[in-house]
Amino acid sequence: MHDLTVIDPVTRIEGHAKITIALGDDGTPSETRFHVTEFRGFEEFCVGRPVWEMPSLTARTCGICPVSHLLASAKAGDAVMGVRIPPAGERLRRIANLGQIIQSHALSFFHLSAPDLLLGMDADPATRNVFGLMAAEPDLARKGIRLRSFGQSVIEAIAGRKVHAPGIVPGGIAHPMDAETRDLLIGGLDEAHGTVVAAIELFTGILDQFEREVDAFGRFPSLFMGLANPRGTWEHYDGTLSVVDHDGTVVARGVEASEYRTIVGEAGREDSYLKSPYFKPRVGDDDPPERGMYRVGPLARLNVCETMGTPEADAALAVYRERAGGVASSSFFYHYARLIEALAATERMAEHLAHPDLLDEKVRSEAASNFRHVVGVSEAPRGTLFHDYEVDEHGLLTSVNMIIATGQNNLAMNATVHQIAKEWIDGPEIPEGVLNRLEAGIRAFDPCLSCSTHAIGEMPMVVDLVGPDGATICRRQRD
Ligand code: MG
Ligand code: NI
C-alpha cells in the first residue's frame, strides 16, 4: 500500500492541513491521516532567552489561545523561583482562564460549528458559515458574538490587551484588580450565563438528528487525560494528571505535572508532522503509539472528573452522562462537553468575582531563579498544555519542550477522519457533504492549528483520495 508517512512536497507548506485517504484493493478507505505541518524551530528559538520573557514570547505565537501559553509559561516561571503565588493572584489567573474557556468555546460553538449543526452538514457551503447563520438565526448569532466578546473582556481585564506586556507573569499577576473592573465583569455575567443555558437547550434539542454523526465522528475506545483535583471536581488550572479508560477505569491518578514524562511519550516520526503524544504505560518498544491513544480537552476533562463542582453544571453533567451512556466516547460530544464547561465557567467566575480576597493588592510573589528543570501545565480550552523548561543559574533557557493539546489529540483525530471516511466514502469522489464531514470531524476537537504551526491565520485544507497504487484519484481543496 501507498506509504502515507511521506509528505507530498507540493503541500508541504507551513499552515496547510491535509487529509489523505488511502483506498484499499476493495475500493474502500483502508487508512486515513490528518497531517499538520509543524514549525519545529520555535522551541529552539526560545533557547537562550530569559525564562521571565517566556509568557509574552509564547503568548505571541498563538492568536487563538494566548492565555493558555501565558498560564503554562508563568507557572513554569513560578516553579523556577519555587514560590507559591498569593491567593488573589491565583484567583485572577483562574478567572482569566475561565474567560478564555468562554471566549474559545463560544467561537467553536457559535461561529465554527453551529452552521453545520443548525443549517445541516449538507447545506450549501456558500451559506453554511457564520454569515448564513446570521441570516437564518440572527438572535442566536448575535448572542454568540456577545458571549465571545464577554470572555474576551475578562481576558483583557486581567491578562492585558498587549501581549508583549502581559498581566500574567511568573509569580502571579502584574496588577491587582480594582472594584470598578470587577463590577463591570459581574455586570456581564448574567447575559453570558443565559446565552450558555440557551445553547445547551438548543444543542440537546437537535442532538437526536445527528445519530449517524454521533456514531461515526470518532466513536471508539481511547484513553482520556486531563487535570483533576483531589476532590474529583472539574479542574482547568491546577491539580494533577488523571487518565481514565473508555469504560471508566482509572489508569493513572495524582501524577504531578512535573512527572508527566512518566505517562506521556512523544512519537517522533522523522517527517515534520505534528508529534503524536501517547500514554506510555500502554505502549511497548515494538508497539505502535496508537495503543496508547488518548484524547484531551472538554470531552476528556468531563470524563476524568466526578462532578463539575457548581449546581447548574452538575445538573447538566448528569443529563450529559445519561445521553452519552456514561463515559462519552464519541468526539461529537466535544460540542456538548464544551457547552457544559462554558456553563461551569460562568458559575465559577461568579464565585471568584464575589470573593473578598479578589481585590487584594498582593498578587505577585518574587524570588530569584532557584530551580533548573521545571514544568508548567494548564488546561487550554482544547486540552492539557505542557511547557517543559530547563534553565541555567541565571534563568536563561537551555532547553524547551512544549506539548500542545492539538498534538495530543493527533492520534484520535486520525482515527476520527478514518472512521468518517469509512462511513461516507464509497467511490472515487469526495462529495461536498463528505468533505464537510471530514472537516467537521476535525472541528469537533477544535484544534488550535495556530499552536500546531506557530503561524497565525486560517488553515486551508487539502483532502486527497489515493488509490491502491499510490496515485491521487481525487483532490479537494479549501483555501
Ligand atoms: Mg514539543
Ligand atoms: Ni493556540
Side-chain angles (χ1 to χ4, degrees), residues 309-324:
T310 48
E312 288 184 48
D314 272 327
L317 181 69
V319 178
Y320 168 91
R321 288 200 166 140
E322 204 168 292
R323 296 195 76 162

Side-chain angles (χ1 to χ4, degrees), residues 64-408:
I64 312 292
C65 37
V67 175
S68 309
H69 288 288
L70 282 174
L71 287 173
S73 188
K75 286 176 79 180
D78 303 343
V80 165
M81 294 188 283
V83 296
R84 278 179 63 200
I85 72 170
E90 176 174 333
R91 201 172 291 288
L92 290 166
R93 283 187 180 179
R94 285 181 174 273
I95 294 170
N97 203 25
L98 293 168
Q100 172 167 247
I101 287 169
I102 290 172
Q103 81 84 19
S104 180
H105 287 359
L107 177 71
S108 171
F109 184 75
F110 290 97
H111 297 61
L112 302 177
S113 295
D116 285 340
L117 299 172
L118 296 176
L119 308 176
M121 295 276 172
D122 297 298
D124 180 355
T127 54
R128 195 189 53 222
N129 50 43
V130 73
F131 304 107
L133 189 71
M134 266 180 219
E137 306 269 355
D139 186 50
L140 181 82
R142 192 185 55 86
K143 282 182 174 162
I145 290 165
R146 287 178 59 86
L147 180 64
R148 187 180 177 214
S149 87
F150 169 73
Q152 198 58 42
S153 65
V154 174
I155 293 170
E156 282 174 7
I158 296 164
R161 235 169 259 263
K162 300 180 192 129
V163 284
H164 58 268
I168 298 173
V169 292
I173 290 284
H175 311 287
M177 180 169 277
D178 55 48
E180 195 188 334
T181 308
R182 175 199 58 190
D183 295 345
L184 217 75
L185 298 183
I186 290 174
L189 261 174
D190 266 357
E191 184 188 327
H193 177 265
T195 298
V196 178
V197 169
I200 291 175
E201 262 169 39
L202 177 83
F203 186 83
T204 51
I206 59 171
L207 182 56
D208 286 342
Q209 297 165 27
F210 292 92
E211 221 172 302
R212 198 171 169 196
E213 281 78 9
V214 168
D215 275 336
F217 271 42
R219 182 172 220 161
F220 44 70
S222 79
L223 299 166
F224 299 93
M225 187 178 82
L227 289 176
N229 63 44
R231 296 173 304 286
T233 50
W234 177 70
E235 182 56 69
H236 62 94
Y237 170 77
D238 218 348
T240 54
L241 296 164
S242 236
V243 183
V244 298
D245 211 339
H246 65 282
D247 60 1
T249 315
V250 177
V251 297
R253 180 185 275 159
V255 180
E256 294 292 339
S258 57
E259 301 298 316
Y260 80 93
R261 270 190 222 75
T262 61
I263 57 168
V264 175
E266 287 190 275
R269 302 190 163 110
E270 318 76 68
D271 47 44
S272 67
Y273 298 144
L274 195 57
K275 274 190 198 165
S276 301
Y278 57 87
F279 182 66
K280 239 185 206 171
R282 282 276 167 93
V283 180
D285 286 346
D286 300 321
D287 292 329
E290 282 77 7
R291 278 190 62 124
M293 175 169 73
Y294 65 90
R295 283 175 267 188
V296 296
L299 191 75
R301 287 190 290 254
L302 264 55
N303 282 339
V304 302
C305 76
E306 283 156 39
T307 64
M308 299 303 290
T310 48
E312 288 184 48
D314 272 327
L317 181 69
V319 178
Y320 168 91
R321 288 200 166 140
E322 204 168 292
R323 296 195 76 162
V327 172
S329 67
S330 169
S331 294
F332 196 78
F333 272 74
Y334 267 104
H335 298 300
Y336 195 168
R338 230 168 253 132
L339 295 174
I340 293 175
E341 287 198 325
L343 182 61
T346 61
E347 290 182 288
R348 290 238 185 150
M349 199 184 286
E351 291 175 7
H352 287 305
L353 288 171
H355 198 279
D357 79 12
L358 182 76
L359 304 183
D360 200 302
E361 293 281 316
K362 182 71 187 163
V363 289
R364 184 174 191 177
S365 304
E366 292 186 54
S369 171
N370 295 307
F371 293 89
R372 306 284 288 269
H373 186 183
V374 299
V375 177
V377 65
S378 106
E379 283 291 341
R382 39 202 56 80
T384 320
L385 171 69
F386 297 93
H387 280 210
D388 181 338
Y389 303 162
E390 287 178 55
V391 300
D392 70 10
E393 67 274 27
H394 309 294
L396 300 179
L397 288 150
T398 56
S399 155
V400 174
N401 187 27
M402 305 197 307
I403 300 184
I404 59 167
T406 299
Q408 293 170 87

Side-chain angles (χ1 to χ4, degrees), residues 62 64-65 69 448 450-451:
C62 184
I64 312 292
C65 37
H69 288 288
C448 184
S450 294
C451 272

